[in-house]
Amino acid sequence: MRNSLLLLAVLLAAPARAEQSELFDGTSGKKLEFPAVTFTPSPAPKDVDPRPAQTKQSGSDLFYFSPEEAAAAKKKFGVAAFRDPAGELPFDKDVPKEIQAQMLGDLAFIKTVSGSGASPLHRQIFGAVDGSVYEQFFKSRVSGVGMSRCGDGNAVACVMPFWNPTKMWLTQNYIRFSHPQVSRLMVVFHEARHTESGHGNWGHASCPTPFLGPDGKEMRSIWTGAELAGEAACDKTPLGSYGSSAIMLKNIANHCETCNGKVRQDASLYADDQLGRVTDAKAHQQMVEDFKL
Amino acid sequence: MRRGLVLALLAFAACRATLPDTKLAALDAVLAAKDDNDPRLDTAFEGLSESAKRSFRARFADYPREYFNERGTIVYVLGRNMKTPADWAFFRAVVAEPPCRSLADCAKAGEAGGPGDEVTLAYPALVALKRAQREFSTGGSMQAAARTVVREALKSEAPAVRRLAERGPGR
């Protein structure tokens, strides 16, 4: 009897799971696997200039177009009217089903957003903090979705006014990388703003020289280490692509009543990051006051 | 009778050794669903036992570093259960991770990307840092421990982590 009790004591003292190290060294045995998605970039439309006067991409930051390209696109295509947002979002045939599903899933989430407050800038750009408002904003601006490399690199999406000022192009990175959902939505709403040819497609401004962060250090591209000073990777208005997407996310962070804590926190994290790209002092301050920071 | 009792107790012990970790299974289900707005993230992981937290930290280590959203989500859930020195030690370790150099491969420099990539690359550390900063903004009782996380973040080589630490409380 005593031996049985001793054996039982030993068994009950054993942990239910093997003990794991309290800390870790960040390594893992598992190898990252990318989804098996292949695609062929959509060919340029037949009537488009086969050699559009594209701004030479510096490769230091994200894909961008010049004011001259935006003006040329406006001259060629005219000012695109906002389309009727009713109906399905048209996808080109070469957009893989997985990417279509992800985008539709992301847009379905944004449609569930609901909140009872909105900042002044949010009301000016979008209206209420409401999923139907965001859906209308997006679908009235984006006439269709195709596949492109968007200048290569890690870009998730882009708008190329010289090809089609209202079309959004996605890359395989839309599903390839492990971005929080808010991050993907921020990118597509940032790009949707670039379809507005009546506003010069809200092209980016050159970042100031020097371009210092809050730590007093030169802001550099996270991917290449190149300095962002002088690059077309900033905005001087709260209404541009960086500003509008930051305002949208900050309002989701502050007012969304149908979002969980993770989504609200993610929205705040990405909004604050985007705020750093609005470099005009007056515009920056306007957004800070708008966010009630 | 005595033999039966012993056998029953041995069977109980054997079951306990293989009892599925239901909280870990729930976490895996939430991550597999890929719905960042899943309400379970705020409701299903309250009051985690120390054993459950250990298994969550192990799951964090299971994921390759390039699974930014999955790892950050685990940090978020653990952040709702900060009670012990081990909890804060884990968060210090998350914040102290070497910077990830690209979305495709943390060990290799990558090509230009898009808006917000800097946040994604540092996402788990930023979630940990946000939780530490909240200890100050809410007048929490573990500010000393939280401050060690903030101080680690101030030394980070990831710019997004350093910037958030610079402009938030707890320095």
Side-chain angles (χ1 to χ4, degrees):
Chain A
M1 177 65 174
R2 190 171 61 182
N3 288 342
S4 300
L5 286 173
L6 278 173
L7 176 62
L8 187 60
V10 169
L11 286 170
L12 288 175
R17 285 171 59 84
E19 284 295 333
Q20 303 286 345
S21 171
E22 288 293 335
L23 300 178
F24 61 94
D25 64 2
T27 60
S28 162
K30 280 188 189 175
K31 193 67 185 163
L32 182 69
E33 291 179 7
F34 294 122
V37 173
T38 57
F39 75 99
T40 303
S42 301
K46 286 178 184 167
D47 60 349
V48 83
D49 183 345
R51 286 186 298 277
Q54 291 186 39
T55 301
K56 186 172 183 293
Q57 302 296 314
S58 71
S60 69
D61 207 75
L62 51 125
F63 176 88
Y64 58 84
F65 53 86
S66 68
E68 293 75 23
E69 287 168 325
K74 182 179 174 182
K75 189 175 176 185
K76 182 177 180 66
F77 296 102
V79 174
F82 290 148
R83 62 184 283 270
D84 180 359
E88 305 275 329
L89 181 64
F91 287 94
D92 286 356
K93 288 177 186 173
D94 61 353
V95 178
K97 286 192 171 36
E98 296 85 349
I99 291 181
Q100 292 189 38
Q102 182 70 79
M103 183 163 214
L104 291 173
D106 291 343
L107 292 175
F109 154 67
I110 205 71
K111 205 174 165 187
T112 69
V113 166
S114 176
S116 54
S119 70
L121 282 173
H122 189 279
R123 288 198 183 280
Q124 180 181 349
I125 297 168
F126 301 101
V129 173
D130 186 270
S132 60
V133 165
Y134 296 137
E135 183 190 37
Q136 181 173 18
F137 180 92
F138 186 85
K139 289 171 80 176
S140 65
R141 284 160 173 77
V142 178
S143 61
V145 178
M147 293 299 291
S148 170
R149 290 199 169 94
C150 290
D152 285 314
N154 292 328
V156 167
C158 64
V159 167
M160 292 183 278
F162 40 85
W163 268 15
N164 183 329
T166 59
K167 190 160 183 174
M168 183 171 296
W169 306 91
L170 301 182
T171 75
Q172 62 178 331
N173 297 329
Y174 196 79
I175 61 170
R176 185 180 175 210
F177 299 133
S178 172
H179 288 286
Q181 190 172 37
V182 155
S183 170
R184 285 196 302 275
L185 283 162
M186 181 189 72
V187 170
V188 297
F189 274 81
H190 172 115
E191 296 302 329
R193 198 62 163 162
H194 280 314
T195 65
E196 296 181 21
S197 46
H199 295 284
N201 300 93
W202 295 107
H204 293 305
S206 296
C207 295
T209 303
F211 185 23
L212 305 179
D215 55 5
K217 295 186 179 178
E218 190 74 46
M219 293 282 281
R220 294 179 178 274
S221 168
I222 188 68
W223 313 280
T224 65
E227 289 180 3
L228 291 174
E231 292 291 329
C234 290
D235 277 353
K236 290 188 175 175
T237 166
L239 306 180
S241 288
Y242 283 118
S244 61
S245 55
I247 289 163
M248 175 184 170
L249 292 189
K250 202 64 176 178
N251 274 261
I252 288 174
N254 291 345
H255 300 294
C256 180
E257 292 162 6
T258 53
C259 303
N260 65 16
K262 176 188 180 333
V263 165
R264 291 199 308 276
Q265 180 169 271
D266 289 353
S268 183
L269 274 173
Y270 283 93
D272 290 344
D273 179 67
Q274 297 298 282
L275 178 59
R277 293 294 184 104
V278 179
T279 51
D280 176 83
K282 194 174 164 187
H284 195 275
Q285 185 59 26
Q286 189 181 359
M287 288 178 70
V288 168
E289 286 168 9
D290 190 67
F291 294 170
K292 291 188 172 38
L293 288 173
Chain B
M1 170 73 175
R2 193 166 61 188
R3 186 183 296 174
L5 177 63
V6 168
L7 285 173
L9 287 170
L10 284 172
F12 169 75
C15 285
R16 183 177 178 276
T18 58
L19 193 68
D21 186 334
T22 53
K23 289 293 186 185
L24 186 64
L27 175 69
D28 287 341
V30 168
L31 293 173
K34 292 192 179 298
D35 174 12
D36 277 6
N37 201 33
D38 195 318
R40 289 177 289 179
L41 287 172
D42 284 348
T43 58
F45 304 106
E46 306 298 293
L48 291 176
S49 67
E50 293 311 307
S51 172
K53 284 192 277 188
R54 279 194 296 271
S55 67
F56 280 29
R57 292 194 284 261
R59 180 62 85 239
F60 178 92
D62 283 341
Y63 275 102
R65 288 195 62 201
E66 293 80 8
Y67 280 73
F68 309 101
N69 192 36
E70 288 80 359
R71 296 171 98 235
T73 300
I74 295 172
V75 173
Y76 171 80
V77 166
L78 285 168
R80 298 175 68 84
N81 292 272
M82 304 297 282
K83 290 200 172 88
T84 69
D87 296 332
W88 290 105
F90 173 75
F91 269 34
R92 272 199 305 278
V94 172
V95 166
E97 280 191 312
C100 187
R101 299 178 68 194
S102 71
L103 295 167
D105 187 336
C106 282
K108 295 178 184 172
E111 300 174 60
D117 280 4
E118 206 169 278
V119 175
T120 299
L121 286 167
Y123 182 65
L126 291 169
V127 175
L129 177 56
K130 276 290 224 187
R131 173 59 185 90
Q133 289 177 330
R134 199 155 56 246
E135 197 67 19
F136 299 95
S137 57
T138 58
S141 61
M142 293 180 284
Q143 291 185 17
R147 187 166 282 112
T148 65
V149 176
V150 175
R151 285 185 177 156
E152 196 65 53
L154 287 166
K155 296 184 295 185
S156 173
E157 292 179 36
V161 175
R162 233 177 21 250
R163 284 200 297 270
L164 180 61
E166 286 279 345
R167 58 171 196 260
R171 286 170 287 154

